[in-house]
Amino acid sequence: MKTVLITGACINTGVAIVEKFASEGYRVLFTGRSIERVRAAEEAYRAIFPKADIKGYRLDALSEDGSVDENAVKALFCKLDGQNIFVETLVLNAADQGLGAKLFENPLSDFTKVLNTNVVWNFVLSEQAAMRMRERGGGSIIFVNSNTAYRAIPDRVAYVASKGGQLGLMRALSLDLGKYKIRVNAVLPGMIITDRWEKNPEFYANVPSRFTPLGEVATGHDVADAVYYFAACANNTTGAELVVDGGNTIQLYPQIPQK
Ligand SMILES: NC(=O)c1ccc[n+]([C@@H]2O[C@H](COP(=O)([O-])OP(=O)(O)OC[C@H]3O[C@@H](n4cnc5c(N)ncnc54)[C@H](OP(=O)(O)O)[C@@H]3O)[C@@H](O)[C@H]2O)c1
């Protein structure tokens, strides 16, 4: 049985990714920052997939001082080694959205927190996973990136910088790890429907990025399908990007319907 480790999978897009891999027969490991939410998610997944092997772990990218908690990542992988569990597929879904980290207004620590979570922590996870994949003859690492890696959005300077950095990391890893048959790829979603849509319906009703050429934004399931494609159906593909944004990034400006 193949094992996938999915970060940030107690809510939203991460849930859809867990469901996709569980329904395809993978053993699914996932992370979240609060043990209560991890246990609740585990219970919910087991109710939907009673026969699947699904286990959650508490993992925070950051220590209390804001630095990356490298030891926690190493401890998780050592624990899995002890149980003879090999993570063949790593899905880097968790992200600090960097909301509220505005230019001129915030301390530098707000910026580095986002970069540490979205870039440095993902490097640490990739390195630990790749070390084992190298020994086992290969594996797959998938970043859930963003179309903001190419097109900036306002008041999200740290997030946009981190997603651009993540793509550079993806390419560098794909180059260095190819010789070990480790494939590294990225899914670039545009706007995804999440619980934030229910909490703020007026904002999302009018947000320009919802007016895509296809007329729809992505669901978590659209993103999960693209992630699964890289994991299971893209044997000779590495360093690649798959944009899942309804065609948004090919427009010069959104086609907002006239009222
Ligand atoms: N939503 C969108 O419109 C959109 C658009 C383009 C790209 N994306 C990308 O798609 C992915 C999923 O997006 P989403 O909106 O579903 O995410 P989300 O709802 O913001 O959830 C993010 C997850 O990341 C985890 N996380 C945040 N900070 C963390 C930290 N310091 N350490 C460990 N985990 C941390 C959260 O853990 P907890 O559950 O513990 O809080 C949560 O599970 C992200 O990579 C995002 O950048 C999203």
Side-chain angles (χ1 to χ4, degrees), residues 8-14 32-34 37 59-62 93-97 117 121 144-146 159 163 189-192 194 196:
C10 297
I11 53 167
N12 294 331
T13 313
R33 281 178 297 180
S34 125
R37 285 169 75 179
L59 197 64
D60 193 321
L62 306 178
N93 169 70
D96 185 325
Q97 300 283 343
T117 303
W121 185 53
V144 181
N145 188 258
S146 168
Y159 180 77
K163 289 296 180 177
M191 187 156 267
I192 308 167
T194 63
R196 293 185 287 276

Side-chain angles (χ1 to χ4, degrees), residues 13-47:
T13 313
V15 172
I17 300 172
V18 168
E19 290 178 355
K20 177 69 184 173
F21 279 88
S23 67
E24 297 290 345
Y26 277 66
R27 175 198 279 136
V28 180
L29 315 178
F30 69 95
T31 73
R33 281 178 297 180
S34 125
I35 194 65
E36 291 77 23
R37 285 169 75 179
V38 167
R39 292 287 164 261
E42 232 174 29
E43 213 171 291
Y45 291 138
R46 284 181 186 148

Side-chain angles (χ1 to χ4, degrees), residues 130-207:
M131 230 178 254
R132 275 96 181 157
M133 292 172 183
R134 184 180 58 175
E135 279 172 19
R136 299 287 195 115
S140 171
I141 300 173
I142 300 138
F143 286 83
V144 181
N145 188 258
S146 168
N147 61 1
T148 60
Y150 288 110
R151 310 275 161 149
I153 51 175
D155 290 334
R156 299 282 291 279
V157 64
Y159 180 77
V160 171
S162 76
K163 289 296 180 177
Q166 225 180 55
L167 271 195
L169 175 62
M170 183 278 287
R171 287 191 208 102
L173 289 173
S174 67
L175 188 60
D176 288 352
L177 297 175
K179 56 180 169 289
Y180 306 116
K181 304 286 178 232
I182 302 169
R183 298 177 298 106
V184 190
N185 294 290
V187 175
L188 280 66
M191 187 156 267
I192 308 167
I193 296 176
T194 63
D195 63 353
R196 293 185 287 276
W197 282 61
E198 285 158 35
K199 290 175 190 159
N200 203 351
E202 272 172 38
F203 170 78
Y204 285 104
N206 298 307
V207 69

Side-chain angles (χ1 to χ4, degrees), residues 2 20-21 24 26 88-89 91 139-142 183 185 224-237:
K2 281 188 176 179
K20 177 69 184 173
F21 279 88
E24 297 290 345
Y26 277 66
E88 188 268 348
T89 302
V91 180
S140 171
I141 300 173
I142 300 138
R183 298 177 298 106
N185 294 290
D225 286 346
V227 169
Y228 186 76
Y229 166 74
F230 279 132
C233 319
N235 269 339
N236 197 32
T237 301

